Amino acid sequence: MTTERRPRLEIIVASTRPGRVGRVVADWFIEQAEQHGGFDIHVTDLAELNLPLLDEPEHPSLRRYTKQHTRDWSATVDAADAIVFVMPEYNHSFTAPLKNALDFLSQEWRDKPAAFVSYGGISSGTRAVYALRPVVSMLGMMPINAQVAVPTRTHITADKQFRSDDALDAAAKVVLDNLARLAPAFAALRAVK
């Protein structure tokens, strides 16, 4: 009897700002993913990863990395079958640390479904997702249509506690169901290259 491996879901926390609420939002989504049960979950918090500004001498598409932090980041993203970006909106766009983390690599992102858990004020971070979608697509990922948009004014308390509701939990389930459905197909696609 063979047991099929569960897809590896890489959850990337994109805010590095001290005092951020990104980790609180990410922890809620991680809990949703654990309850879903369809994935082996790995979390990368860009504040902890602490990548410098892109410092590799050669283009990332060549994969001739000279720095250990790049090799480690490459291995992390390479192992993923699906990606979720937990991200705030800064000035109608996504964060500089996220752009930097994306730019460090090239081939490792390809042929993986990607989803977004955004958070922020009135727009709930949706403008940042809109700005990130073409970047993710250019890197060869397939951004899914379903997403989670968290209005922080109604879901984050003054003491930075997350308060979910049925609508957010349902949105998370739709995202996870879509990724669970697509991840094996994209893994098969990567296997034939």
Side-chain angles (χ1 to χ4, degrees), residues 96-135:
L98 177 55
K99 181 67 164 86
N100 187 56
L102 289 165
D103 289 346
F104 254 92
L105 309 175
S106 177
Q107 297 175 33
E108 295 88 339
W109 299 111
R110 286 196 183 124
D111 297 327
K112 295 177 182 179
F116 310 94
V117 176
S118 66
Y119 58 93
I122 293 170
S123 76
S124 305
T126 56
R127 294 174 294 209
V129 172
Y130 184 78
L132 184 57
R133 281 182 180 277
V135 175

PDB file of all heavy atoms in Angstrom, residues 96-135:
ATOM      1  N   ALA A  96       8.398  46.000   0.050  1.00  0.00           N
ATOM      2  CA  ALA A  96       9.736  45.874  -0.545  1.00  0.00           C
ATOM      3  C   ALA A  96      10.424  44.561  -0.163  1.00  0.00           C
ATOM      4  O   ALA A  96      11.049  43.925  -1.016  1.00  0.00           O
ATOM      5  CB  ALA A  96      10.591  47.077  -0.150  1.00  0.00           C
ATOM      6  N   PRO A  97      10.322  44.104   1.102  1.00  0.00           N
ATOM      7  CA  PRO A  97      10.944  42.810   1.428  1.00  0.00           C
ATOM      8  C   PRO A  97      10.364  41.651   0.614  1.00  0.00           C
ATOM      9  O   PRO A  97      11.089  40.722   0.258  1.00  0.00           O
ATOM     10  CB  PRO A  97      10.660  42.632   2.920  1.00  0.00           C
ATOM     11  CG  PRO A  97      10.497  44.023   3.433  1.00  0.00           C
ATOM     12  CD  PRO A  97       9.830  44.776   2.320  1.00  0.00           C
ATOM     13  N   LEU A  98       9.077  41.714   0.296  1.00  0.00           N
ATOM     14  CA  LEU A  98       8.491  40.654  -0.531  1.00  0.00           C
ATOM     15  C   LEU A  98       9.048  40.712  -1.948  1.00  0.00           C
ATOM     16  O   LEU A  98       9.421  39.680  -2.514  1.00  0.00           O
ATOM     17  CB  LEU A  98       6.958  40.760  -0.546  1.00  0.00           C
ATOM     18  CG  LEU A  98       6.235  39.748  -1.428  1.00  0.00           C
ATOM     19  CD1 LEU A  98       6.627  38.310  -1.086  1.00  0.00           C
ATOM     20  CD2 LEU A  98       4.728  39.939  -1.319  1.00  0.00           C
ATOM     21  N   LYS A  99       9.121  41.905  -2.517  1.00  0.00           N
ATOM     22  CA  LYS A  99       9.685  42.030  -3.874  1.00  0.00           C
ATOM     23  C   LYS A  99      11.118  41.514  -3.894  1.00  0.00           C
ATOM     24  O   LYS A  99      11.529  40.784  -4.803  1.00  0.00           O
ATOM     25  CB  LYS A  99       9.626  43.493  -4.333  1.00  0.00           C
ATOM     26  CG  LYS A  99      10.166  43.714  -5.749  1.00  0.00           C
ATOM     27  CD  LYS A  99       9.288  43.059  -6.796  1.00  0.00           C
ATOM     28  CE  LYS A  99       9.552  43.574  -8.193  1.00  0.00           C
ATOM     29  NZ  LYS A  99      10.630  42.900  -8.898  1.00  0.00           N
ATOM     30  N   ASN A 100      11.902  41.877  -2.887  1.00  0.00           N
ATOM     31  CA  ASN A 100      13.280  41.413  -2.796  1.00  0.00           C
ATOM     32  C   ASN A 100      13.347  39.886  -2.703  1.00  0.00           C
ATOM     33  O   ASN A 100      14.134  39.247  -3.403  1.00  0.00           O
ATOM     34  CB  ASN A 100      13.957  42.058  -1.586  1.00  0.00           C
ATOM     35  CG  ASN A 100      15.427  41.756  -1.513  1.00  0.00           C
ATOM     36  OD1 ASN A 100      16.187  42.007  -2.431  1.00  0.00           O
ATOM     37  ND2 ASN A 100      15.844  41.207  -0.371  1.00  0.00           N
ATOM     38  N   ALA A 101      12.501  39.300  -1.856  1.00  0.00           N
ATOM     39  CA  ALA A 101      12.496  37.835  -1.704  1.00  0.00           C
ATOM     40  C   ALA A 101      12.113  37.149  -3.013  1.00  0.00           C
ATOM     41  O   ALA A 101      12.671  36.095  -3.353  1.00  0.00           O
ATOM     42  CB  ALA A 101      11.540  37.436  -0.587  1.00  0.00           C
ATOM     43  N   LEU A 102      11.176  37.734  -3.736  1.00  0.00           N
ATOM     44  CA  LEU A 102      10.795  37.179  -5.035  1.00  0.00           C
ATOM     45  C   LEU A 102      11.951  37.281  -6.021  1.00  0.00           C
ATOM     46  O   LEU A 102      12.259  36.338  -6.750  1.00  0.00           O
ATOM     47  CB  LEU A 102       9.567  37.903  -5.585  1.00  0.00           C
ATOM     48  CG  LEU A 102       8.253  37.635  -4.869  1.00  0.00           C
ATOM     49  CD1 LEU A 102       7.206  38.666  -5.260  1.00  0.00           C
ATOM     50  CD2 LEU A 102       7.759  36.227  -5.146  1.00  0.00           C
ATOM     51  N   ASP A 103      12.617  38.437  -6.050  1.00  0.00           N
ATOM     52  CA  ASP A 103      13.675  38.680  -7.034  1.00  0.00           C
ATOM     53  C   ASP A 103      14.928  37.854  -6.804  1.00  0.00           C
ATOM     54  O   ASP A 103      15.714  37.657  -7.735  1.00  0.00           O
ATOM     55  CB  ASP A 103      14.052  40.166  -7.036  1.00  0.00           C
ATOM     56  CG  ASP A 103      12.975  41.040  -7.642  1.00  0.00           C
ATOM     57  OD1 ASP A 103      12.048  40.502  -8.294  1.00  0.00           O
ATOM     58  OD2 ASP A 103      13.053  42.272  -7.460  1.00  0.00           O
ATOM     59  N   PHE A 104      15.136  37.355  -5.601  1.00  0.00           N
ATOM     60  CA  PHE A 104      16.308  36.528  -5.317  1.00  0.00           C
ATOM     61  C   PHE A 104      16.317  35.254  -6.167  1.00  0.00           C
ATOM     62  O   PHE A 104      17.370  34.705  -6.461  1.00  0.00           O
ATOM     63  CB  PHE A 104      16.329  36.119  -3.835  1.00  0.00           C
ATOM     64  CG  PHE A 104      17.356  36.839  -3.026  1.00  0.00           C
ATOM     65  CD1 PHE A 104      17.024  38.007  -2.367  1.00  0.00           C
ATOM     66  CD2 PHE A 104      18.652  36.368  -2.923  1.00  0.00           C
ATOM     67  CE1 PHE A 104      17.957  38.685  -1.606  1.00  0.00           C
ATOM     68  CE2 PHE A 104      19.598  37.030  -2.165  1.00  0.00           C
ATOM     69  CZ  PHE A 104      19.252  38.204  -1.500  1.00  0.00           C
ATOM     70  N   LEU A 105      15.121  34.775  -6.532  1.00  0.00           N
ATOM     71  CA  LEU A 105      14.994  33.487  -7.220  1.00  0.00           C
ATOM     72  C   LEU A 105      14.276  33.668  -8.539  1.00  0.00           C
ATOM     73  O   LEU A 105      13.669  34.690  -8.801  1.00  0.00           O
ATOM     74  CB  LEU A 105      14.219  32.505  -6.336  1.00  0.00           C
ATOM     75  CG  LEU A 105      14.719  32.343  -4.894  1.00  0.00           C
ATOM     76  CD1 LEU A 105      13.783  31.436  -4.122  1.00  0.00           C
ATOM     77  CD2 LEU A 105      16.151  31.832  -4.860  1.00  0.00           C
ATOM     78  N   SER A 106      14.317  32.617  -9.351  1.00  0.00           N
ATOM     79  CA  SER A 106      13.600  32.655 -10.623  1.00  0.00           C
ATOM     80  C   SER A 106      12.895  31.311 -10.852  1.00  0.00           C
ATOM     81  O   SER A 106      11.693  31.209 -10.691  1.00  0.00           O
ATOM     82  CB  SER A 106      14.580  32.961 -11.767  1.00  0.00           C
ATOM     83  OG  SER A 106      13.922  32.943 -13.006  1.00  0.00           O
ATOM     84  N   GLN A 107      13.651  30.304 -11.202  1.00  0.00           N
ATOM     85  CA  GLN A 107      13.072  29.011 -11.569  1.00  0.00           C
ATOM     86  C   GLN A 107      12.309  28.343 -10.437  1.00  0.00           C
ATOM     87  O   GLN A 107      11.367  27.591 -10.682  1.00  0.00           O
ATOM     88  CB  GLN A 107      14.179  28.077 -12.063  1.00  0.00           C
ATOM     89  CG  GLN A 107      14.858  28.569 -13.320  1.00  0.00           C
ATOM     90  CD  GLN A 107      16.027  27.691 -13.696  1.00  0.00           C
ATOM     91  OE1 GLN A 107      16.008  26.487 -13.459  1.00  0.00           O
ATOM     92  NE2 GLN A 107      17.052  28.276 -14.283  1.00  0.00           N
ATOM     93  N   GLU A 108      12.709  28.615  -9.214  1.00  0.00           N
ATOM     94  CA  GLU A 108      12.089  27.955  -8.063  1.00  0.00           C
ATOM     95  C   GLU A 108      10.601  28.279  -7.925  1.00  0.00           C
ATOM     96  O   GLU A 108       9.845  27.495  -7.353  1.00  0.00           O
ATOM     97  CB  GLU A 108      12.813  28.365  -6.770  1.00  0.00           C
ATOM     98  CG  GLU A 108      14.254  27.906  -6.704  1.00  0.00           C
ATOM     99  CD  GLU A 108      15.250  28.882  -7.323  1.00  0.00           C
ATOM    100  OE1 GLU A 108      14.860  29.739  -8.148  1.00  0.00           O
ATOM    101  OE2 GLU A 108      16.441  28.785  -6.983  1.00  0.00           O
ATOM    102  N   TRP A 109      10.173  29.414  -8.430  1.00  0.00           N
ATOM    103  CA  TRP A 109       8.773  29.833  -8.322  1.00  0.00           C
ATOM    104  C   TRP A 109       7.882  29.185  -9.378  1.00  0.00           C
ATOM    105  O   TRP A 109       6.664  29.115  -9.210  1.00  0.00           O
ATOM    106  CB  TRP A 109       8.662  31.354  -8.491  1.00  0.00           C
ATOM    107  CG  TRP A 109       9.405  32.160  -7.480  1.00  0.00           C
ATOM    108  CD1 TRP A 109      10.515  32.930  -7.708  1.00  0.00           C
ATOM    109  CD2 TRP A 109       9.103  32.314  -6.094  1.00  0.00           C
ATOM    110  NE1 TRP A 109      10.914  33.542  -6.554  1.00  0.00           N
ATOM    111  CE2 TRP A 109      10.063  33.187  -5.551  1.00  0.00           C
ATOM    112  CE3 TRP A 109       8.103  31.804  -5.265  1.00  0.00           C
ATOM    113  CZ2 TRP A 109      10.053  33.558  -4.204  1.00  0.00           C
ATOM    114  CZ3 TRP A 109       8.095  32.178  -3.931  1.00  0.00           C
ATOM    115  CH2 TRP A 109       9.062  33.036  -3.413  1.00  0.00           C
ATOM    116  N   ARG A 110       8.453  28.725 -10.467  1.00  0.00           N
ATOM    117  CA  ARG A 110       7.676  28.313 -11.637  1.00  0.00           C
ATOM    118  C   ARG A 110       6.746  27.137 -11.372  1.00  0.00           C
ATOM    119  O   ARG A 110       7.055  26.209 -10.645  1.00  0.00           O
ATOM    120  CB  ARG A 110       8.620  27.930 -12.778  1.00  0.00           C
ATOM    121  CG  ARG A 110       9.256  29.129 -13.411  1.00  0.00           C
ATOM    122  CD  ARG A 110       9.861  28.798 -14.757  1.00  0.00           C
ATOM    123  NE  ARG A 110      10.510  29.995 -15.256  1.00  0.00           N
ATOM    124  CZ  ARG A 110      11.776  30.058 -15.612  1.00  0.00           C
ATOM    125  NH1 ARG A 110      12.530  28.984 -15.555  1.00  0.00           N
ATOM    126  NH2 ARG A 110      12.277  31.182 -16.047  1.00  0.00           N
ATOM    127  N   ASP A 111       5.622  27.218 -12.071  1.00  0.00           N
ATOM    128  CA  ASP A 111       4.641  26.126 -12.098  1.00  0.00           C
ATOM    129  C   ASP A 111       4.137  25.742 -10.703  1.00  0.00           C
ATOM    130  O   ASP A 111       4.037  24.564 -10.359  1.00  0.00           O
ATOM    131  CB  ASP A 111       5.218  24.901 -12.816  1.00  0.00           C
ATOM    132  CG  ASP A 111       5.530  25.200 -14.266  1.00  0.00           C
ATOM    133  OD1 ASP A 111       4.801  26.003 -14.885  1.00  0.00           O
ATOM    134  OD2 ASP A 111       6.516  24.645 -14.799  1.00  0.00           O
ATOM    135  N   LYS A 112       3.792  26.780  -9.942  1.00  0.00           N
ATOM    136  CA  LYS A 112       3.208  26.567  -8.620  1.00  0.00           C
ATOM    137  C   LYS A 112       1.989  27.471  -8.481  1.00  0.00           C
ATOM    138  O   LYS A 112       2.047  28.641  -8.856  1.00  0.00           O
ATOM    139  CB  LYS A 112       4.226  26.885  -7.520  1.00  0.00           C
ATOM    140  CG  LYS A 112       5.397  25.914  -7.559  1.00  0.00           C
ATOM    141  CD  LYS A 112       6.452  26.216  -6.553  1.00  0.00           C
ATOM    142  CE  LYS A 112       7.588  25.193  -6.749  1.00  0.00           C
ATOM    143  NZ  LYS A 112       8.691  25.397  -5.844  1.00  0.00           N
ATOM    144  N   PRO A 113       0.888  26.951  -7.969  1.00  0.00           N
ATOM    145  CA  PRO A 113      -0.257  27.824  -7.710  1.00  0.00           C
ATOM    146  C   PRO A 113       0.051  28.745  -6.526  1.00  0.00           C
ATOM    147  O   PRO A 113       0.739  28.350  -5.584  1.00  0.00           O
ATOM    148  CB  PRO A 113      -1.388  26.849  -7.392  1.00  0.00           C
ATOM    149  CG  PRO A 113      -0.707  25.617  -6.900  1.00  0.00           C
ATOM    150  CD  PRO A 113       0.627  25.552  -7.602  1.00  0.00           C
ATOM    151  N   ALA A 114      -0.459  29.961  -6.611  1.00  0.00           N
ATOM    152  CA  ALA A 114      -0.215  30.949  -5.565  1.00  0.00           C
ATOM    153  C   ALA A 114      -1.531  31.601  -5.157  1.00  0.00           C
ATOM    154  O   ALA A 114      -2.425  31.794  -5.986  1.00  0.00           O
ATOM    155  CB  ALA A 114       0.764  32.012  -6.062  1.00  0.00           C
ATOM    156  N   ALA A 115      -1.606  31.945  -3.881  1.00  0.00           N
ATOM    157  CA  ALA A 115      -2.806  32.609  -3.356  1.00  0.00           C
ATOM    158  C   ALA A 115      -2.376  33.722  -2.417  1.00  0.00           C
ATOM    159  O   ALA A 115      -1.211  33.808  -2.012  1.00  0.00           O
ATOM    160  CB  ALA A 115      -3.702  31.606  -2.642  1.00  0.00           C
ATOM    161  N   PHE A 116      -3.346  34.547  -2.050  1.00  0.00           N
ATOM    162  CA  PHE A 116      -3.059  35.747  -1.282  1.00  0.00           C
ATOM    163  C   PHE A 116      -4.004  35.872  -0.098  1.00  0.00           C
ATOM    164  O   PHE A 116      -5.212  35.704  -0.239  1.00  0.00           O
ATOM    165  CB  PHE A 116      -3.209  36.978  -2.171  1.00  0.00           C
ATOM    166  CG  PHE A 116      -2.464  36.854  -3.476  1.00  0.00           C
ATOM    167  CD1 PHE A 116      -3.121  36.395  -4.611  1.00  0.00           C
ATOM    168  CD2 PHE A 116      -1.114  37.154  -3.556  1.00  0.00           C
ATOM    169  CE1 PHE A 116      -2.444  36.249  -5.811  1.00  0.00           C
ATOM    170  CE2 PHE A 116      -0.432  37.009  -4.757  1.00  0.00           C
ATOM    171  CZ  PHE A 116      -1.094  36.558  -5.886  1.00  0.00           C
ATOM    172  N   VAL A 117      -3.422  36.186   1.049  1.00  0.00           N
ATOM    173  CA  VAL A 117      -4.170  36.586   2.226  1.00  0.00           C
ATOM    174  C   VAL A 117      -3.699  38.014   2.496  1.00  0.00           C
ATOM    175  O   VAL A 117      -2.572  38.223   2.954  1.00  0.00           O
ATOM    176  CB  VAL A 117      -3.892  35.671   3.430  1.00  0.00           C
ATOM    177  CG1 VAL A 117      -4.610  36.189   4.669  1.00  0.00           C
ATOM    178  CG2 VAL A 117      -4.303  34.237   3.118  1.00  0.00           C
ATOM    179  N   SER A 118      -4.536  38.968   2.149  1.00  0.00           N
ATOM    180  CA  SER A 118      -4.137  40.369   2.308  1.00  0.00           C
ATOM    181  C   SER A 118      -4.874  40.986   3.490  1.00  0.00           C
ATOM    182  O   SER A 118      -5.924  40.502   3.903  1.00  0.00           O
ATOM    183  CB  SER A 118      -4.419  41.150   1.030  1.00  0.00           C
ATOM    184  OG  SER A 118      -5.811  41.228   0.782  1.00  0.00           O
ATOM    185  N   TYR A 119      -4.289  42.044   4.006  1.00  0.00           N
ATOM    186  CA  TYR A 119      -4.922  42.731   5.117  1.00  0.00           C
ATOM    187  C   TYR A 119      -4.577  44.215   5.053  1.00  0.00           C
ATOM    188  O   TYR A 119      -3.569  44.611   4.466  1.00  0.00           O
ATOM    189  CB  TYR A 119      -4.504  42.133   6.462  1.00  0.00           C
ATOM    190  CG  TYR A 119      -3.018  42.141   6.722  1.00  0.00           C
ATOM    191  CD1 TYR A 119      -2.427  43.192   7.412  1.00  0.00           C
ATOM    192  CD2 TYR A 119      -2.204  41.099   6.284  1.00  0.00           C
ATOM    193  CE1 TYR A 119      -1.063  43.211   7.651  1.00  0.00           C
ATOM    194  CE2 TYR A 119      -0.847  41.111   6.518  1.00  0.00           C
ATOM    195  CZ  TYR A 119      -0.280  42.166   7.200  1.00  0.00           C
ATOM    196  OH  TYR A 119       1.072  42.178   7.428  1.00  0.00           O
ATOM    197  N   GLY A 120      -5.455  45.011   5.627  1.00  0.00           N
ATOM    198  CA  GLY A 120      -5.222  46.451   5.648  1.00  0.00           C
ATOM    199  C   GLY A 120      -6.485  47.194   6.013  1.00  0.00           C
ATOM    200  O   GLY A 120      -7.438  46.613   6.520  1.00  0.00           O
ATOM    201  N   GLY A 121      -6.482  48.472   5.726  1.00  0.00           N
ATOM    202  CA  GLY A 121      -7.601  49.346   6.062  1.00  0.00           C
ATOM    203  C   GLY A 121      -8.820  49.067   5.208  1.00  0.00           C
ATOM    204  O   GLY A 121      -9.229  47.919   5.043  1.00  0.00           O
ATOM    205  N   ILE A 122      -9.372  50.095   4.638  1.00  0.00           N
ATOM    206  CA  ILE A 122     -10.631  49.977   3.906  1.00  0.00           C
ATOM    207  C   ILE A 122     -10.543  48.976   2.753  1.00  0.00           C
ATOM    208  O   ILE A 122     -11.456  48.204   2.514  1.00  0.00           O
ATOM    209  CB  ILE A 122     -11.077  51.361   3.389  1.00  0.00           C
ATOM    210  CG1 ILE A 122     -11.435  52.250   4.573  1.00  0.00           C
ATOM    211  CG2 ILE A 122     -12.249  51.243   2.428  1.00  0.00           C
ATOM    212  CD1 ILE A 122     -11.657  53.696   4.222  1.00  0.00           C
ATOM    213  N   SER A 123      -9.418  48.953   2.055  1.00  0.00           N
ATOM    214  CA  SER A 123      -9.298  48.041   0.908  1.00  0.00           C
ATOM    215  C   SER A 123      -8.887  46.632   1.305  1.00  0.00           C
ATOM    216  O   SER A 123      -8.825  45.737   0.463  1.00  0.00           O
ATOM    217  CB  SER A 123      -8.290  48.583  -0.105  1.00  0.00           C
ATOM    218  OG  SER A 123      -6.970  48.370   0.365  1.00  0.00           O
ATOM    219  N   SER A 124      -8.566  46.421   2.573  1.00  0.00           N
ATOM    220  CA  SER A 124      -8.163  45.094   3.072  1.00  0.00           C
ATOM    221  C   SER A 124      -6.936  44.535   2.356  1.00  0.00           C
ATOM    222  O   SER A 124      -6.758  43.325   2.273  1.00  0.00           O
ATOM    223  CB  SER A 124      -9.328  44.099   2.972  1.00  0.00           C
ATOM    224  OG  SER A 124     -10.464  44.592   3.637  1.00  0.00           O
ATOM    225  N   GLY A 125      -6.113  45.415   1.806  1.00  0.00           N
ATOM    226  CA  GLY A 125      -4.905  44.965   1.126  1.00  0.00           C
ATOM    227  C   GLY A 125      -5.099  44.511  -0.301  1.00  0.00           C
ATOM    228  O   GLY A 125      -4.163  44.036  -0.938  1.00  0.00           O
ATOM    229  N   THR A 126      -6.288  44.668  -0.838  1.00  0.00           N
ATOM    230  CA  THR A 126      -6.561  44.135  -2.184  1.00  0.00           C
ATOM    231  C   THR A 126      -5.782  44.856  -3.278  1.00  0.00           C
ATOM    232  O   THR A 126      -5.471  44.255  -4.306  1.00  0.00           O
ATOM    233  CB  THR A 126      -8.064  44.171  -2.502  1.00  0.00           C
ATOM    234  OG1 THR A 126      -8.544  45.511  -2.351  1.00  0.00           O
ATOM    235  CG2 THR A 126      -8.834  43.244  -1.575  1.00  0.00           C
ATOM    236  N   ARG A 127      -5.455  46.120  -3.077  1.00  0.00           N
ATOM    237  CA  ARG A 127      -4.662  46.831  -4.092  1.00  0.00           C
ATOM    238  C   ARG A 127      -3.239  46.272  -4.154  1.00  0.00           C
ATOM    239  O   ARG A 127      -2.626  46.228  -5.225  1.00  0.00           O
ATOM    240  CB  ARG A 127      -4.653  48.334  -3.810  1.00  0.00           C
ATOM    241  CG  ARG A 127      -6.032  48.956  -3.964  1.00  0.00           C
ATOM    242  CD  ARG A 127      -6.068  50.396  -3.554  1.00  0.00           C
ATOM    243  NE  ARG A 127      -5.815  50.532  -2.120  1.00  0.00           N
ATOM    244  CZ  ARG A 127      -6.300  51.504  -1.368  1.00  0.00           C
ATOM    245  NH1 ARG A 127      -7.059  52.443  -1.899  1.00  0.00           N
ATOM    246  NH2 ARG A 127      -6.021  51.561  -0.090  1.00  0.00           N
ATOM    247  N   ALA A 128      -2.712  45.820  -3.018  1.00  0.00           N
ATOM    248  CA  ALA A 128      -1.393  45.184  -3.006  1.00  0.00           C
ATOM    249  C   ALA A 128      -1.424  43.876  -3.789  1.00  0.00           C
ATOM    250  O   ALA A 128      -0.499  43.562  -4.536  1.00  0.00           O
ATOM    251  CB  ALA A 128      -0.938  44.940  -1.574  1.00  0.00           C
ATOM    252  N   VAL A 129      -2.502  43.124  -3.622  1.00  0.00           N
ATOM    253  CA  VAL A 129      -2.651  41.875  -4.379  1.00  0.00           C
ATOM    254  C   VAL A 129      -2.724  42.179  -5.872  1.00  0.00           C
ATOM    255  O   VAL A 129      -2.075  41.511  -6.689  1.00  0.00           O
ATOM    256  CB  VAL A 129      -3.897  41.088  -3.912  1.00  0.00           C
ATOM    257  CG1 VAL A 129      -4.164  39.899  -4.820  1.00  0.00           C
ATOM    258  CG2 VAL A 129      -3.721  40.639  -2.473  1.00  0.00           C
ATOM    259  N   TYR A 130      -3.490  43.195  -6.218  1.00  0.00           N
ATOM    260  CA  TYR A 130      -3.603  43.595  -7.628  1.00  0.00           C
ATOM    261  C   TYR A 130      -2.232  43.933  -8.207  1.00  0.00           C
ATOM    262  O   TYR A 130      -1.924  43.584  -9.345  1.00  0.00           O
ATOM    263  CB  TYR A 130      -4.560  44.783  -7.739  1.00  0.00           C
ATOM    264  CG  TYR A 130      -4.819  45.220  -9.150  1.00  0.00           C
ATOM    265  CD1 TYR A 130      -5.698  44.514  -9.966  1.00  0.00           C
ATOM    266  CD2 TYR A 130      -4.185  46.337  -9.672  1.00  0.00           C
ATOM    267  CE1 TYR A 130      -5.944  44.905 -11.270  1.00  0.00           C
ATOM    268  CE2 TYR A 130      -4.415  46.742 -10.977  1.00  0.00           C
ATOM    269  CZ  TYR A 130      -5.298  46.024 -11.768  1.00  0.00           C
ATOM    270  OH  TYR A 130      -5.518  46.407 -13.068  1.00  0.00           O
ATOM    271  N   ALA A 131      -1.382  44.600  -7.426  1.00  0.00           N
ATOM    272  CA  ALA A 131      -0.038  44.946  -7.888  1.00  0.00           C
ATOM    273  C   ALA A 131       0.878  43.724  -7.958  1.00  0.00           C
ATOM    274  O   ALA A 131       1.771  43.659  -8.809  1.00  0.00           O
ATOM    275  CB  ALA A 131       0.570  46.000  -6.964  1.00  0.00           C
ATOM    276  N   LEU A 132       0.662  42.755  -7.075  1.00  0.00           N
ATOM    277  CA  LEU A 132       1.539  41.580  -7.031  1.00  0.00           C
ATOM    278  C   LEU A 132       1.190  40.529  -8.081  1.00  0.00           C
ATOM    279  O   LEU A 132       2.075  39.798  -8.548  1.00  0.00           O
ATOM    280  CB  LEU A 132       1.500  40.952  -5.631  1.00  0.00           C
ATOM    281  CG  LEU A 132       2.436  39.775  -5.389  1.00  0.00           C
ATOM    282  CD1 LEU A 132       3.892  40.134  -5.671  1.00  0.00           C
ATOM    283  CD2 LEU A 132       2.277  39.257  -3.967  1.00  0.00           C
ATOM    284  N   ARG A 133      -0.060  40.443  -8.470  1.00  0.00           N
ATOM    285  CA  ARG A 133      -0.470  39.390  -9.420  1.00  0.00           C
ATOM    286  C   ARG A 133       0.390  39.339 -10.689  1.00  0.00           C
ATOM    287  O   ARG A 133       0.819  38.256 -11.087  1.00  0.00           O
ATOM    288  CB  ARG A 133      -1.946  39.535  -9.784  1.00  0.00           C
ATOM    289  CG  ARG A 133      -2.876  38.997  -8.730  1.00  0.00           C
ATOM    290  CD  ARG A 133      -4.348  39.108  -9.151  1.00  0.00           C
ATOM    291  NE  ARG A 133      -5.204  38.581  -8.116  1.00  0.00           N
ATOM    292  CZ  ARG A 133      -5.490  37.290  -7.967  1.00  0.00           C
ATOM    293  NH1 ARG A 133      -5.006  36.399  -8.803  1.00  0.00           N
ATOM    294  NH2 ARG A 133      -6.267  36.887  -6.988  1.00  0.00           N
ATOM    295  N   PRO A 134       0.673  40.462 -11.370  1.00  0.00           N
ATOM    296  CA  PRO A 134       1.501  40.354 -12.579  1.00  0.00           C
ATOM    297  C   PRO A 134       2.933  39.917 -12.293  1.00  0.00           C
ATOM    298  O   PRO A 134       3.552  39.236 -13.109  1.00  0.00           O
ATOM    299  CB  PRO A 134       1.457  41.755 -13.194  1.00  0.00           C
ATOM    300  CG  PRO A 134       0.870  42.649 -12.185  1.00  0.00           C
ATOM    301  CD  PRO A 134       0.142  41.808 -11.189  1.00  0.00           C
ATOM    302  N   VAL A 135       3.464  40.269 -11.120  1.00  0.00           N
ATOM    303  CA  VAL A 135       4.815  39.845 -10.762  1.00  0.00           C
ATOM    304  C   VAL A 135       4.843  38.329 -10.567  1.00  0.00           C
ATOM    305  O   VAL A 135       5.716  37.623 -11.081  1.00  0.00           O
ATOM    306  CB  VAL A 135       5.296  40.575  -9.482  1.00  0.00           C
ATOM    307  CG1 VAL A 135       6.659  40.053  -9.036  1.00  0.00           C
ATOM    308  CG2 VAL A 135       5.326  42.081  -9.710  1.00  0.00           C
TER     309      VAL A 135
END
